[in-house]
Amino acid sequence: MSTWAEAAFLGLVQGLTEFLPVSSSAHLRIIGPLLPSGGDPGAAFTAITQIGTEAAVLLYFRRDIARIAAAWLASLAGGKRPSDPDARMGWLIIVGTLPIAVLGLLFKDAIEGSLRNLYITAAMLIAFGLLLGAADRFSRKQRSLSTLTWRDGLLFGLAQAMALIPGVSRSGGTITAGLLMGYTRDAAARYSFLLAIPAVLASGFYQLYRSWDIGSPVAPGPTALATVIAFGVGYAVIVVFLKLVSTRGYLPFVYYRLVLGTLVLALLLGGLLSPH
Protein backbone atom coordinates (compact mmCIF):
# COMPACT_ATOMS: atom_id res chain seq x y z
CA MET A 1 0.00 0.00 0.00
CA SER A 2 1.61 3.27 -1.11
CA THR A 3 1.68 6.24 1.27
CA TRP A 4 0.41 9.68 0.34
CA ALA A 5 3.98 10.85 -0.29
CA GLU A 6 4.73 7.85 -2.51
CA ALA A 7 1.49 8.32 -4.45
CA ALA A 8 2.34 12.00 -4.95
CA PHE A 9 5.77 11.02 -6.25
CA LEU A 10 4.24 8.47 -8.62
CA GLY A 11 1.81 11.15 -9.85
CA LEU A 12 4.78 13.41 -10.55
CA VAL A 13 6.46 10.60 -12.50
CA GLN A 14 3.25 9.94 -14.45
CA GLY A 15 2.90 13.60 -15.39
CA LEU A 16 6.55 13.87 -16.43
CA THR A 17 6.61 10.73 -18.58
CA GLU A 18 3.12 10.28 -20.06
CA PHE A 19 3.71 12.47 -23.11
CA LEU A 20 7.39 11.73 -23.60
CA PRO A 21 8.26 8.66 -25.72
CA VAL A 22 9.74 6.87 -22.69
CA SER A 23 6.69 4.91 -21.38
CA SER A 24 4.99 6.22 -18.25
CA SER A 25 3.65 2.74 -17.42
CA ALA A 26 7.20 1.38 -17.48
CA HIS A 27 8.35 4.10 -15.07
CA LEU A 28 5.54 3.42 -12.61
CA ARG A 29 6.19 -0.32 -12.89
CA ILE A 30 9.94 0.14 -12.27
CA ILE A 31 9.76 2.80 -9.54
CA GLY A 32 6.92 1.24 -7.52
CA PRO A 33 8.98 -1.69 -6.14
CA LEU A 34 11.88 0.67 -5.31
CA LEU A 35 9.76 2.82 -2.96
CA PRO A 36 9.73 2.09 0.81
CA SER A 37 6.34 0.33 0.68
CA GLY A 38 7.49 -1.66 -2.37
CA GLY A 39 5.33 -3.45 -4.91
CA ASP A 40 3.84 -2.77 -8.31
CA PRO A 41 1.27 0.08 -8.02
CA GLY A 42 -0.80 -1.88 -10.53
CA ALA A 43 -2.44 -1.37 -13.91
CA ALA A 44 -5.49 0.25 -12.28
CA PHE A 45 -3.42 2.99 -10.60
CA THR A 46 -1.59 3.64 -13.87
CA ALA A 47 -4.82 3.90 -15.88
CA ILE A 48 -6.56 6.14 -13.32
CA THR A 49 -3.65 8.60 -13.03
CA GLN A 50 -3.65 8.80 -16.82
CA ILE A 51 -7.06 10.49 -16.52
CA GLY A 52 -5.15 13.42 -15.04
CA THR A 53 -2.69 13.63 -17.89
CA GLU A 54 -5.44 13.30 -20.49
CA ALA A 55 -7.31 16.14 -18.78
CA ALA A 56 -4.18 18.18 -19.50
CA VAL A 57 -4.48 17.21 -23.18
CA LEU A 58 -8.14 18.27 -23.20
CA LEU A 59 -7.19 21.65 -21.75
CA TYR A 60 -4.20 22.27 -24.03
CA PHE A 61 -5.94 21.17 -27.26
CA ARG A 62 -9.41 22.41 -26.22
CA ARG A 63 -9.91 24.56 -29.32
CA ASP A 64 -8.81 21.82 -31.72
CA ILE A 65 -10.93 19.24 -29.89
CA ALA A 66 -14.01 21.48 -29.86
CA ARG A 67 -13.65 22.19 -33.58
CA ILE A 68 -13.14 18.51 -34.46
CA ALA A 69 -16.03 17.36 -32.24
CA ALA A 70 -18.41 19.96 -33.67
CA ALA A 71 -17.51 19.05 -37.26
CA TRP A 72 -17.82 15.32 -36.54
CA LEU A 73 -21.27 15.77 -34.96
CA ALA A 74 -22.31 17.95 -37.90
CA SER A 75 -21.23 15.20 -40.30
CA LEU A 76 -23.53 12.79 -38.47
CA ALA A 77 -26.42 15.21 -38.80
CA GLY A 78 -25.67 15.86 -42.46
CA GLY A 79 -24.54 19.44 -41.89
CA LYS A 80 -20.99 18.73 -43.02
CA ARG A 81 -19.49 16.22 -45.39
CA PRO A 82 -17.46 13.42 -43.80
CA SER A 83 -14.62 14.63 -46.08
CA ASP A 84 -14.48 17.98 -44.23
CA PRO A 85 -10.95 18.06 -42.69
CA ASP A 86 -12.14 18.38 -39.08
CA ALA A 87 -14.97 15.86 -39.47
CA ARG A 88 -12.57 13.49 -41.17
CA MET A 89 -10.11 13.87 -38.30
CA GLY A 90 -12.88 12.90 -35.89
CA TRP A 91 -13.61 9.73 -37.85
CA LEU A 92 -9.89 8.93 -38.13
CA ILE A 93 -9.47 9.19 -34.35
CA ILE A 94 -12.36 6.75 -33.91
CA VAL A 95 -10.83 4.32 -36.43
CA GLY A 96 -7.44 4.66 -34.78
CA THR A 97 -8.95 3.87 -31.39
CA LEU A 98 -10.44 0.53 -32.48
CA PRO A 99 -7.20 -1.54 -32.31
CA ILE A 100 -6.39 -0.65 -28.69
CA ALA A 101 -10.02 -1.14 -27.66
CA VAL A 102 -10.24 -4.60 -29.22
CA LEU A 103 -6.79 -5.79 -28.15
CA GLY A 104 -7.19 -4.29 -24.69
CA LEU A 105 -10.31 -6.37 -24.10
CA LEU A 106 -8.90 -9.55 -25.67
CA PHE A 107 -5.65 -9.47 -23.69
CA LYS A 108 -6.89 -7.80 -20.49
CA ASP A 109 -5.57 -10.52 -18.18
CA ALA A 110 -2.11 -10.58 -19.78
CA ILE A 111 -1.90 -6.77 -19.74
CA GLU A 112 -2.63 -6.71 -16.02
CA GLY A 113 -0.46 -9.74 -15.31
CA SER A 114 2.26 -11.45 -17.34
CA LEU A 115 3.07 -8.49 -19.62
CA ARG A 116 4.08 -6.45 -16.55
CA ASN A 117 7.17 -8.66 -16.18
CA LEU A 118 10.13 -6.30 -15.86
CA TYR A 119 12.26 -8.31 -18.28
CA ILE A 120 9.64 -7.57 -20.93
CA THR A 121 9.53 -3.91 -19.89
CA ALA A 122 13.32 -3.55 -20.16
CA ALA A 123 13.38 -5.28 -23.55
CA MET A 124 10.62 -3.01 -24.90
CA LEU A 125 12.41 0.12 -23.65
CA ILE A 126 15.54 -0.85 -25.56
CA ALA A 127 13.91 -2.26 -28.71
CA PHE A 128 11.46 0.58 -29.26
CA GLY A 129 14.13 3.12 -28.35
CA LEU A 130 16.25 1.84 -31.22
CA LEU A 131 13.22 1.87 -33.53
CA LEU A 132 12.37 5.46 -32.57
CA GLY A 133 15.99 6.49 -33.19
CA ALA A 134 16.00 4.89 -36.64
CA ALA A 135 12.66 6.47 -37.55
CA ASP A 136 13.78 9.93 -36.45
CA ARG A 137 17.10 9.60 -38.27
CA PHE A 138 16.02 8.17 -41.61
CA SER A 139 12.36 9.15 -42.18
CA ARG A 140 11.37 11.88 -44.66
CA LYS A 141 9.43 14.01 -42.10
CA GLN A 142 7.53 15.96 -44.77
CA ARG A 143 3.83 15.12 -44.37
CA SER A 144 1.32 17.19 -42.41
CA LEU A 145 -1.86 15.90 -40.73
CA SER A 146 -3.89 17.21 -43.68
CA THR A 147 -2.52 14.25 -45.68
CA LEU A 148 -3.60 11.65 -43.10
CA THR A 149 -5.31 8.68 -44.82
CA TRP A 150 -7.60 5.97 -43.46
CA ARG A 151 -4.80 3.44 -43.78
CA ASP A 152 -2.43 5.69 -41.86
CA GLY A 153 -5.05 6.28 -39.18
CA LEU A 154 -5.36 2.53 -38.67
CA LEU A 155 -1.57 2.09 -38.59
CA PHE A 156 -1.32 4.84 -35.98
CA GLY A 157 -3.96 2.94 -34.00
CA LEU A 158 -2.09 -0.36 -34.22
CA ALA A 159 1.06 1.38 -33.02
CA GLN A 160 -0.84 2.87 -30.09
CA ALA A 161 -2.13 -0.59 -29.18
CA MET A 162 1.46 -1.77 -28.72
CA ALA A 163 1.60 0.52 -25.67
CA LEU A 164 -0.56 -1.98 -23.80
CA ILE A 165 2.84 -3.55 -23.08
CA PRO A 166 4.75 -1.48 -20.46
CA GLY A 167 7.96 -0.17 -21.97
CA VAL A 168 6.64 0.48 -25.48
CA SER A 169 5.17 3.97 -24.76
CA ARG A 170 1.89 5.18 -26.20
CA SER A 171 3.40 8.38 -27.57
CA GLY A 172 6.62 6.59 -28.55
CA GLY A 173 4.76 3.95 -30.55
CA THR A 174 2.48 6.36 -32.39
CA ILE A 175 5.22 8.93 -32.99
CA THR A 176 7.54 6.23 -34.36
CA ALA A 177 4.78 5.02 -36.69
CA GLY A 178 4.13 8.58 -37.83
CA LEU A 179 7.79 9.24 -38.58
CA LEU A 180 8.07 5.95 -40.50
CA MET A 181 5.07 7.03 -42.60
CA GLY A 182 6.80 10.33 -43.40
CA TYR A 183 4.95 12.72 -41.08
CA THR A 184 6.77 15.66 -39.50
CA ARG A 185 7.81 15.41 -35.85
CA ASP A 186 5.19 17.98 -34.83
CA ALA A 187 2.39 16.30 -36.81
CA ALA A 188 3.21 12.86 -35.37
CA ALA A 189 3.30 14.24 -31.81
CA ARG A 190 0.05 16.20 -32.14
CA TYR A 191 -1.86 13.27 -33.62
CA SER A 192 -0.44 11.04 -30.90
CA PHE A 193 -1.97 13.33 -28.26
CA LEU A 194 -5.37 13.50 -29.98
CA LEU A 195 -5.52 9.78 -30.69
CA ALA A 196 -4.82 8.89 -27.07
CA ILE A 197 -7.82 10.80 -25.66
CA PRO A 198 -10.64 8.24 -26.19
CA ALA A 199 -8.55 5.19 -25.32
CA VAL A 200 -6.90 6.60 -22.19
CA LEU A 201 -10.08 8.14 -20.79
CA ALA A 202 -12.08 4.96 -21.44
CA SER A 203 -9.40 2.81 -19.80
CA GLY A 204 -9.03 5.16 -16.85
CA PHE A 205 -12.74 5.42 -16.07
CA TYR A 206 -13.18 1.66 -16.54
CA GLN A 207 -10.40 0.96 -14.04
CA LEU A 208 -11.85 3.59 -11.69
CA TYR A 209 -15.25 1.85 -11.80
CA ARG A 210 -13.67 -1.57 -11.45
CA SER A 211 -11.46 -0.57 -8.52
CA TRP A 212 -14.52 0.26 -6.42
CA ASP A 213 -15.32 -3.48 -6.36
CA ILE A 214 -11.95 -5.23 -6.38
CA GLY A 215 -9.73 -2.57 -4.82
CA SER A 216 -6.27 -1.41 -5.88
CA PRO A 217 -2.77 -1.61 -4.37
CA VAL A 218 -3.05 2.19 -3.88
CA ALA A 219 -5.92 3.59 -1.79
CA PRO A 220 -8.48 5.96 -3.41
CA GLY A 221 -7.24 9.11 -1.61
CA PRO A 222 -3.57 8.79 -2.63
CA THR A 223 -4.65 7.76 -6.14
CA ALA A 224 -6.74 10.95 -6.45
CA LEU A 225 -3.77 13.04 -5.27
CA ALA A 226 -1.50 11.38 -7.82
CA THR A 227 -4.05 12.06 -10.58
CA VAL A 228 -4.25 15.78 -9.74
CA ILE A 229 -0.46 16.09 -9.67
CA ALA A 230 -0.20 14.21 -12.97
CA PHE A 231 -2.61 16.75 -14.51
CA GLY A 232 -0.60 19.81 -13.47
CA VAL A 233 2.79 18.39 -14.38
CA GLY A 234 1.47 16.85 -17.60
CA TYR A 235 0.19 20.19 -18.89
CA ALA A 236 3.61 21.79 -18.42
CA VAL A 237 5.28 18.84 -20.16
CA ILE A 238 3.03 19.19 -23.24
CA VAL A 239 4.04 22.83 -23.67
CA VAL A 240 7.76 22.07 -23.41
CA PHE A 241 7.66 18.80 -25.38
CA LEU A 242 6.02 20.22 -28.52
CA LYS A 243 8.58 23.02 -28.64
CA LEU A 244 11.47 20.66 -28.00
CA VAL A 245 10.75 18.02 -30.65
CA SER A 246 10.20 20.58 -33.40
CA THR A 247 13.78 21.82 -32.96
CA ARG A 248 15.80 19.08 -31.25
CA GLY A 249 14.30 15.77 -32.38
CA TYR A 250 13.91 12.57 -30.38
CA LEU A 251 17.53 11.48 -29.92
CA PRO A 252 17.71 12.46 -26.20
CA PHE A 253 14.73 10.18 -25.52
CA VAL A 254 16.34 7.35 -27.47
CA TYR A 255 19.46 7.55 -25.30
CA TYR A 256 17.34 7.73 -22.16
CA ARG A 257 15.37 4.61 -23.11
CA LEU A 258 18.54 2.64 -23.83
CA VAL A 259 20.14 3.66 -20.53
CA LEU A 260 16.99 2.96 -18.50
CA GLY A 261 16.36 -0.41 -20.16
CA THR A 262 19.97 -1.48 -19.59
CA LEU A 263 19.83 -0.32 -15.95
CA VAL A 264 16.65 -2.30 -15.29
CA LEU A 265 18.22 -5.42 -16.80
CA ALA A 266 21.29 -4.94 -14.59
CA LEU A 267 19.10 -4.57 -11.47
CA LEU A 268 17.12 -7.68 -12.41
CA LEU A 269 20.23 -9.77 -13.08
CA GLY A 270 21.78 -8.49 -9.83
CA GLY A 271 18.72 -9.54 -7.85
CA LEU A 272 17.92 -5.96 -6.78
CA LEU A 273 14.60 -6.01 -8.66
CA SER A 274 12.06 -8.81 -8.97
CA PRO A 275 10.62 -9.34 -12.45
CA HIS A 276 7.10 -9.83 -11.05
Side-chain angles (χ1 to χ4, degrees), residues 222-234:
T223 298
L225 173 64
T227 303
V228 172
I229 292 173
F231 163 75
V233 176

Side-chain angles (χ1 to χ4, degrees), residues 143-166:
R143 298 176 62 186
S144 68
L145 288 182
S146 63
T147 67
L148 189 64
T149 65
W150 295 101
R151 184 207 67 147
D152 292 352
L154 185 59
L155 289 175
F156 267 114
L158 290 170
Q160 178 177 242
M162 292 294 295
L164 293 168
I165 307 171

Side-chain angles (χ1 to χ4, degrees), residues 23-26 29 43 46-47 50 97-117 120-121 124 128 157-171 173-174 199-200 202-204 207:
S23 182
S24 61
S25 59
R29 176 67 185 91
T46 301
Q50 284 175 338
T97 303
L98 293 177
I100 198 170
V102 172
L103 294 174
L105 290 172
L106 288 176
F107 298 101
K108 180 173 71 69
D109 292 339
I111 293 163
E112 297 178 358
S114 60
L115 290 178
R116 295 182 71 79
N117 184 299
I120 296 176
T121 300
M124 293 300 99
F128 276 82
L158 290 170
Q160 178 177 242
M162 292 294 295
L164 293 168
I165 307 171
V168 172
S169 169
R170 186 186 313 278
S171 62
T174 51
V200 173
S203 173
Q207 291 288 4

Side-chain angles (χ1 to χ4, degrees), residues 10 13-31 41 46-47 49-50 53 116 125 163 166-171 257:
L10 290 172
V13 172
Q14 167 64 27
L16 286 171
T17 58
E18 171 66 19
F19 304 117
L20 306 181
V22 296
S23 182
S24 61
S25 59
H27 280 73
L28 296 184
R29 176 67 185 91
I30 293 163
I31 291 172
T46 301
T49 55
Q50 284 175 338
T53 46
R116 295 182 71 79
L125 282 167
V168 172
S169 169
R170 186 186 313 278
S171 62
R257 290 180 66 105

Side-chain angles (χ1 to χ4, degrees), residues 231-243:
F231 163 75
V233 176
Y235 186 87
V237 170
I238 294 173
V239 175
V240 175
F241 178 65
L242 287 176
K243 291 180 180 177

Side-chain angles (χ1 to χ4, degrees), residues 81-267:
R81 291 185 175 183
S83 58
D84 173 85
D86 289 325
R88 189 163 163 273
M89 179 62 71
W91 284 110
L92 284 166
I93 289 171
I94 292 172
V95 169
T97 303
L98 293 177
I100 198 170
V102 172
L103 294 174
L105 290 172
L106 288 176
F107 298 101
K108 180 173 71 69
D109 292 339
I111 293 163
E112 297 178 358
S114 60
L115 290 178
R116 295 182 71 79
N117 184 299
L118 281 177
Y119 278 110
I120 296 176
T121 300
M124 293 300 99
L125 282 167
I126 294 170
F128 276 82
L130 293 172
L131 188 59
L132 173 61
D136 195 35
R137 172 68 178 83
F138 298 109
S139 63
R140 291 180 291 124
K141 295 185 283 291
Q142 295 175 342
R143 298 176 62 186
S144 68
L145 288 182
S146 63
T147 67
L148 189 64
T149 65
W150 295 101
R151 184 207 67 147
D152 292 352
L154 185 59
L155 289 175
F156 267 114
L158 290 170
Q160 178 177 242
M162 292 294 295
L164 293 168
I165 307 171
V168 172
S169 169
R170 186 186 313 278
S171 62
T174 51
I175 287 169
T176 298
L179 293 174
L180 290 172
M181 289 185 284
Y183 289 91
T184 65
R185 290 168 177 152
D186 183 68
R190 286 178 177 275
Y191 189 66
S192 172
F193 290 147
L194 295 173
L195 182 61
I197 293 171
V200 173
L201 290 180
S203 173
F205 283 113
Y206 168 74
Q207 291 288 4
L208 182 62
Y209 165 78
R210 191 163 168 258
S211 67
W212 288 114
D213 296 325
I214 65 174
S216 170
V218 185
T223 298
L225 173 64
T227 303
V228 172
I229 292 173
F231 163 75
V233 176
Y235 186 87
V237 170
I238 294 173
V239 175
V240 175
F241 178 65
L242 287 176
K243 291 180 180 177
L244 180 66
V245 297
S246 63
T247 57
R248 306 292 288 273
Y250 293 102
L251 196 58
F253 304 110
V254 173
Y255 290 144
Y256 178 82
R257 290 180 66 105
L258 297 180
V259 170
L260 180 61
T262 303
L263 177 61
V264 172
L265 284 177
L267 292 173

